[in-house]
């Protein structure tokens, strides 16, 4: 007999062998066992509904993944918790998971246009008085625009079309002639969040990024946006939810076809078909990023609007670099481990040392076109160039880590980018209002579609809760129609 599928039971993958297709009957089938899909399943089960989760990977967690590489525990994917992420914080409490603060004592380092490393304290980079004033003015203007936006309906912003048809790069340079100020402000959204060049997405998309976090000021405050981490890693959130669901989470089962129908009387049905398992349900949740919708064949096809919309949503590109040292040597030099530079290969670096770990870990980020350039190099040369860039912030000891690892989500088959999807120019006003519209029994749920917590685990949790509420209401309506 051939190994065909596996279940998630108490934190382990249990292989099952069967020669025939397994048929499962559920009220709801969820495609994707990341935080959003698992939260939707958890809430639906609490409401008394049967749920089956089908996951393509051999693990749960989606874009969160805590792994051990060469003896070092690393957060391969999403990891931080900020004070405004109340949905995630509430779930951590429910699951009995603890958090700890990111190390931030000491001075940070800024590398400006002259290439010199300058130590500083506080939130504002040590730039010239003129550049500092321009940065403050740009932040104030972006805060003003964000305050006018409901992140649940960014297309209703009073300047929505104007902001959505001009790139963030162009908008910044219309506001200021100070190139260093423009590049620094662009860094917080382009490299730091959307991981796309600032010329490739709209100003409205940038304002949504700010509004979803409460303000642009929050995005530029690393002590806020990168506040805490989860003891044991962020993936443990998904692992604990999956453990609660037991063998209703089926791993190694990429869904190939969703066969759906919606009758005139309001009743619906859907069959989610993988190579080894078919789940017959009344509703389906697509809890994967929009760039993966096309991996599934929909029968009948999705409406024209959906086909068009999905082609205008894409993930960015980032290399998350992990470097582990015998000790956090930068602390001895009075440094926090935090560094910024819009012009360097590594644009951001932080102390990412694990809870109660005697070793020191740094994490650095290389985004968009800089990541393109690094991937053109052979692995040894890429490692050398990246470590040299980190050493530019923290000194020559950074050149020789005990463990070095690059998280490359763009090459991961069931993700293909990072951190989350965003629209191209004009796409948010053209399509955004339709991104959560169900198609028959099919609902959409992921951090890519969130309002508050957009692109973050918090947003994934919120979307799972939202989707579960909508499906619970729809199931109640169906039962009324049937009964």
């Amino acid at each position: 007999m051939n190994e065909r599928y596996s279940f998630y039971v108490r934190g382990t993958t249990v292989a099952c062998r069967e020669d025939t297709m397994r048929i499962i009957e559920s009220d709801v089938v969820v495609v994707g066992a990341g935080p959003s899909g698992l939260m939707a399943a958890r809430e639906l089960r609490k409401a008394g509904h049967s749920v089956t989760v089908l996951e393509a990977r051999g693990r749960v967690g989606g874009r969160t993944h805590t792994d051990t590489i060469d003896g070092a525990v690393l957060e391969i994917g999403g990891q931080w918790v900020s004070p405004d992420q109340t949905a995630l914080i509430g779930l951590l409490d429910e699951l009995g998971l603890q958090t700890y603060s990111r190390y931030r004592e000491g001075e940070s380092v800024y590398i400006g246009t002259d290439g010199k490393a300058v130590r500083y304290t506080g939130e504002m980079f040590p730039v010239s008085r003129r550049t500092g004033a321009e940065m403050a003015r740009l932040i104030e203007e972006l805060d003003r625009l964000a305050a006018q936006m409901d992140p649940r309906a960014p297309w209703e912003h009073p300047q929505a079309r104007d902001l959505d048809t001009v790139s963030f790069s162009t908008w910044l340079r219309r506001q200021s002639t100070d190139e260093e100020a423009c590049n620094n402000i662009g860094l917080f959204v382009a490299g730091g969040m959307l991981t796309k060049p600032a010329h490739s997405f709209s100003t409205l998309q940038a304002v949504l990024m700010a509004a979803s976090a409460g303000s642009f000021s929050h995005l530029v405050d690393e002590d806020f946006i990168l506040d805490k981490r989860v003891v044991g890693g962020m993936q443990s959130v998904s692992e604990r939810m999956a453990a609660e669901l037991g063998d209703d989470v089926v791993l190694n089962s990429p869904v190939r076809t969703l066969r759906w129908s919606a009758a005139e009387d309001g009743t619906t049905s859907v069959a989610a078909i993988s190579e080894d398992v078919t789940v017959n349900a009344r509703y389906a949740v697509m809890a994967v990023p929009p760039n993966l919708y096309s991996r599934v064949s929909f029968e009948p096809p999705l409406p024209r609007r959906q086909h068009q919309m999905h082609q205008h949503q894409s993930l960015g590109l980032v290399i998350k670099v992990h470097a582990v040292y015998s000790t956090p040597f930068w602390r001895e030099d009075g440094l926090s481990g935090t560094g910024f530079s819009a012009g360097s290969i590594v644009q951001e670096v932080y102390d990412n040392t694990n809870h109660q770990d005697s070793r020191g870990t740094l994490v650095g980020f290389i985004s968009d076109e800089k990541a393109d350039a690094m991937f053109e190099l052979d692995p040894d040369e890429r490692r050398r160039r990246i470590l040299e860039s980190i050493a530019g912030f923290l000194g020559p000891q950074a050149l020789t880590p005990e463990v070095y690892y690059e998280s490359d989500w763009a090459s991961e088959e069931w993700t293909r980018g990072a951190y989350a999807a965003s629209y191209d120019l004009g796409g948010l006003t053209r399509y955004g209002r339709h991104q959560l519209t169900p198609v028959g029994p099919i609902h959409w749920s992921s951090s890519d579609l969130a309002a508050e917590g957009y692109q973050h685990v918090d947003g994934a949790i919120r979307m799972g809760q939202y989707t579960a509420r909508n499906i619970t209401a729809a199931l109640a309506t169906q039962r009324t129609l049937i009964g």
Side-chain angles (χ1 to χ4, degrees), residues 258-264 266-271 281-283 299-300 439-442 478:
L258 275 182
R259 191 170 293 140
W260 61 277
S261 66
E264 291 185 4
T267 59
T268 59
S269 66
V270 61
R282 294 191 181 278
Y283 287 93
E299 299 177 3
V439 176
I442 303 168
Q478 277 211 28

Side-chain angles (χ1 to χ4, degrees), residues 301-313:
L302 296 175
R304 177 192 311 108
R305 195 68 172 169
Q306 292 282 335
H307 285 163
Q308 284 288 299
M309 175 170 57
H310 301 160
Q311 294 178 64
H312 291 267
Q313 295 169 286

Side-chain angles (χ1 to χ4, degrees), residues 99-289:
T99 61
Y100 64 103
S101 296
R102 177 179 65 84
Y103 185 83
R104 63 195 78 180
E105 302 300 321
E107 296 178 304
S108 300
V109 177
Y110 172 76
I111 299 176
T113 54
D114 59 3
K116 295 179 180 178
V118 180
R119 298 164 69 132
Y120 71 101
T121 57
E123 293 181 19
M124 182 58 73
F125 296 164
V127 293
S128 70
R129 180 175 298 179
R130 178 180 184 276
T131 296
E134 287 295 278
M135 289 178 63
R137 188 174 62 79
L138 289 169
I139 291 169
E140 182 179 1
E141 176 62 13
L142 287 162
D143 277 344
R144 185 186 70 80
L145 292 171
Q148 294 177 316
M149 177 182 284
D150 178 353
R152 292 166 292 185
W155 46 87
E156 295 179 359
H157 190 282
Q159 295 175 249
R161 181 166 177 81
D162 289 343
L163 294 173
D164 203 30
T165 52
V166 61
S167 76
F168 191 42
S169 175
T170 297
W171 181 88
L172 285 168
R173 284 154 183 84
R174 288 178 180 174
Q175 305 298 314
S176 176
T177 59
D178 190 305
E179 190 66 12
E180 186 173 8
C182 291
N183 284 333
N184 285 341
I185 297 300
L187 167 65
F188 291 111
V189 178
M193 291 294 176
L194 300 181
T195 65
K196 293 178 176 179
H199 62 256
S200 68
F201 60 86
S202 76
T203 307
L204 189 68
Q205 189 79 60
V207 174
L208 171 59
M209 189 73 250
S212 72
S215 68
F216 196 86
S217 291
H218 284 165
L219 294 186
V220 305
D221 181 1
E222 73 273 10
D223 288 344
F224 180 89
I225 204 73
L226 311 179
D227 182 29
K228 295 183 183 297
R229 294 176 57 193
V230 177
V231 176
M234 186 66 82
Q235 190 186 0
S236 60
V237 174
S238 293
E239 290 174 335
R240 293 209 178 181
M241 286 194 287
E244 292 177 352
L245 295 164
D247 60 8
D248 287 333
V249 179
V250 184
L251 303 179
N252 299 307
S253 291
V255 172
R256 304 302 186 186
T257 302
L258 275 182
R259 191 170 293 140
W260 61 277
S261 66
E264 291 185 4
D265 64 1
T267 59
T268 59
S269 66
V270 61
I273 304 167
S274 72
E275 294 177 2
D276 305 294
V277 180
T278 292
V279 180
N280 295 319
R282 294 191 181 278
Y283 287 93
V285 179
M286 284 291 288
V288 297

Side-chain angles (χ1 to χ4, degrees), residues 343-470:
S344 297
I345 292 170
V346 176
Q347 296 171 294
E348 303 172 78
V349 63
Y350 303 99
D351 185 321
N352 211 38
T353 302
N354 289 322
H355 181 59
Q356 296 182 338
D357 192 349
S358 62
R359 293 191 291 182
T361 300
L362 293 171
V363 62
F365 297 92
I366 305 111
S367 299
D368 55 72
E369 293 171 321
K370 289 181 170 64
D372 290 338
M374 289 299 99
F375 281 131
E376 291 179 0
L377 306 175
D378 65 68
D380 289 341
E381 177 65 10
R382 182 168 65 246
R383 170 180 168 140
R384 184 185 68 80
R385 295 275 300 276
I386 289 172
L387 288 174
E388 285 179 350
S389 184
I390 295 174
F393 293 102
L394 301 174
Q397 286 177 277
L399 296 170
T400 54
E402 294 181 345
V403 178
Y404 175 89
Y405 184 77
E406 298 167 3
S407 298
D408 174 19
W409 285 93
S411 65
E412 206 273 342
E413 181 180 7
W414 300 110
T415 306
R416 302 187 171 193
Y419 306 111
S422 55
Y423 286 95
D424 56 16
L425 285 175
L428 190 52
T429 50
R430 185 178 179 188
Y431 299 109
R433 69 184 72 244
H434 304 289
Q435 65 185 10
L436 293 177
T437 303
V439 176
I442 303 168
H443 290 242
W444 319 94
S445 185
S446 68
S447 64
D448 315 75
L449 309 177
E452 294 88 352
Y454 168 57
Q455 290 208 352
H456 293 90
V457 176
D458 179 75
I461 299 303
R462 291 175 188 273
M463 284 305 306
Q465 294 168 333
Y466 169 86
T467 305
R469 287 194 299 269
N470 287 344

